[in-house]
Amino acid sequence: VGVDDLRLSTALQLPCLAPEPRVAAIYGSKSGSKRILQAAQVNVPPGAHDLYDEDDLIGSLAHLISHNLDVPKWIFKVDDEFSGRGHAHMLVEHLPCYQALLRRYDENPAAWAEEGTQAV
């Protein structure tokens, strides 16, 4: 629903059964959906949202991979795309850094739970 829809609804004196455009813009995206689910404490797969630049993406992906070594494939979704457009995936098993992380984990799995270990 956009501003034009609201104007038409008002002009025709008909109810507009949709959220305000401002609210829909905030919560109608993929990131908005993730925020709603997290606020409702719904169990969701590991992921990140509200990433706006390359540094955000790389930092979040590094954090996610190091904290979820059992996830072999990561999916990227662009917020404002739909119908499967704007999706990409990455397999981590062929990354040299991923193999190094696995070796570090195998050396001492108990220590891996410490936050500083994954940052090294």
Side-chain angles (χ1 to χ4, degrees), residues 16 18-19 35 73 77 109 114:
C16 184
R35 285 193 302 274
K73 181 185 201 178
K77 297 182 177 185
E114 297 172 18

Side-chain angles (χ1 to χ4, degrees), residues 58-106:
I58 291 170
S60 292
L61 185 59
H63 177 84
L64 286 166
I65 291 171
S66 67
H67 284 76
N68 300 279
L69 293 175
D70 58 333
V71 177
K73 181 185 201 178
W74 291 93
I75 298 173
F76 306 90
K77 297 182 177 185
V78 177
D79 254 349
D80 58 356
E81 292 291 344
F82 55 92
S83 296
R85 294 180 358 186
H87 292 185
H89 72 273
M90 181 180 84
L91 298 171
V92 296
E93 62 190 14
H94 301 295
L95 296 174
C97 59
Y98 179 69
Q99 298 304 321
L101 287 173
L102 289 177
R103 284 192 297 277
R104 290 284 307 269
Y105 175 80
D106 288 343

